[in-house]
Amino acid sequence: MTLSTVICIGMAGSGKTTFMQRLNSHFRSAKKEVPYVINLDPAVLKVPYGCNIDIRDSIKYNKVMETYGLGPNGAIVTSLNLFSTKIDQVINLVETKQDKYEHVIVDTPGQIECFVWSASGTIITESFASSFPTVIAYIIDTPRNTNPTTFMSNMLYACSILYKTKLPMIIVFNKTDVTKEDFAREWMTDFESFQRAIMDDQESNESGSGYMNSLVNSMSLMLEEFYSQLDVVGVSSYTGDGFDAFLKAVDDKVVEYDSYYKQERDQILRQKEEDEKKRKEQSLTGLMKDLGLNEKGKKKKQGEDEAEVISDIEESENDGIVEPDTEENVNEFSGDRDYSFPENDRLEGEITEKSHPDLQERYQQAFEAQAKTTSSSVAEDIAKYIRQ
């Protein structure tokens, strides 16, 4: 069972919340399935559906406005920012439920820019998209888009959301019980039909701008490729018409996500990890250079790049190997040996406290003398380093 996510985005008044209610009801009645519902709108007073996760349970919108002295939109963005800090917990919670659910449907704020263009919206969207197949449902108020200029503005917004999220998108023309979406389908597939609509609108509106009409024409040509990548569905959240077609489109987009979008997103994530690794290495190298340290963390002498200690020299074949004290090696030794004991004390056999009663006392004297010399040498080295 594959858990897929549908993130519903739409401008204020597009019927997005009603769409969520009808979609939830359609899952339960027609599909005999209970979806996992998440509400991310902190400013809504009532939602006409039950939520498994509701941002209002953890973020108090009015309190955010009062505490930070913000307006409505600023408080929505701040609420989403606060919620996004715990998005990992939300994802973990959804993952534990994926054996019970097939779909997650997410409602977003009606102030669309607060979610789409904010850092928190990006974090939330990418978190879901990195864990589950994710589809964007862009809800459009069909009756308000019968004007070609308004229609083009909405399509440009949809195009920007597609390239911002880099996720499969379904254009949902809502309120088809008031106005059918046939005119929009025709405009998206027939450029000449859209041109005629612009000319008719210009004739009926004498104050229309010729520049604006020319711009809209150019935009329609540019969006021809964009239209070809979209699934367009007409639904009525009031009557429930078109929701079977919408769910079919969701299934198609999940396949598309697995085939194309997931590979691209994995590549983007790998590139981000590599860039972050390079940035950390550069920062560490710069820090060590500023501190005057070499790659092994040793302090460099000023104006000197050579190794300071033997361990810094490149290892040779016999490093760390002590040759046995063979007769041949002893004969090659030309110097005199130094002994710890006088000659008359170098007796054959084991040296013990019985044979040398003062042995322990001599050890103690030698140790104290060596410790005193070492302490003095260390103190001199520290003082010398400080003077430098």
Side-chain angles (χ1 to χ4, degrees), residues 91-161:
I91 297 298
N92 290 336
L93 189 59
V94 175
E95 286 178 341
T96 60
K97 305 288 186 180
Q98 59 183 336
D99 57 334
K100 299 179 181 178
Y101 299 92
E102 293 186 29
H103 294 89
V104 178
I105 54 177
V106 183
D107 195 7
T108 59
Q111 288 73 12
I112 190 171
E113 68 281 357
C114 296
F115 181 82
V116 174
W117 305 115
S118 66
S120 55
T122 301
I123 291 171
I124 293 170
T125 303
E126 290 190 352
S127 297
F128 276 106
S130 300
S131 305
F132 317 105
T134 303
V135 178
I136 301 295
Y138 183 62
I139 317 299
I140 295 177
D141 186 348
T142 308
R144 290 187 180 180
N145 282 267
T146 54
N147 180 281
T149 303
T150 306
F151 172 82
M152 181 53 58
S153 300
N154 230 318
M155 289 299 102
L156 288 173
Y157 215 117
C159 181
S160 63
I161 293 173

Side-chain angles (χ1 to χ4, degrees), residues 300-336:
K300 286 186 178 180
K301 292 182 180 179
Q302 188 173 1
E304 189 175 73
D305 292 332
E306 293 79 16
E308 295 184 37
V309 293
I310 294 176
S311 60
D312 286 338
I313 302 174
E314 183 178 357
E315 293 185 356
S316 65
E317 187 177 2
N318 295 321
D319 280 350
I321 300 178
V322 179
E323 295 186 1
D325 206 7
T326 61
E327 184 177 358
E328 182 181 353
N329 290 334
V330 171
N331 292 336
E332 289 179 0
F333 184 75
S334 58
D336 295 328

Side-chain angles (χ1 to χ4, degrees), residues 221-279:
L221 281 173
M222 182 198 71
L223 293 179
E224 186 175 358
E225 180 65 23
F226 167 67
Y227 294 149
S228 66
Q229 303 300 318
L230 295 177
D231 280 2
V232 179
V233 179
V235 302
S236 171
S237 298
Y238 181 72
T239 64
D241 290 339
F243 276 86
D244 285 330
F246 172 75
L247 294 180
K248 173 66 168 57
V250 169
D251 292 340
D252 292 342
K253 288 300 180 181
V254 168
V255 174
E256 184 178 323
Y257 173 92
D258 292 333
S259 302
Y260 303 105
Y261 286 84
K262 189 175 187 300
Q263 296 178 9
E264 183 179 352
R265 293 190 68 82
D266 290 344
Q267 183 178 353
I268 291 173
L269 291 175
R270 284 195 299 269
Q271 186 62 43
K272 283 184 177 180
E273 290 177 358
E274 292 176 2
D275 293 343
E276 181 66 16
K277 184 178 179 181
K278 290 180 181 178
R279 186 191 66 78

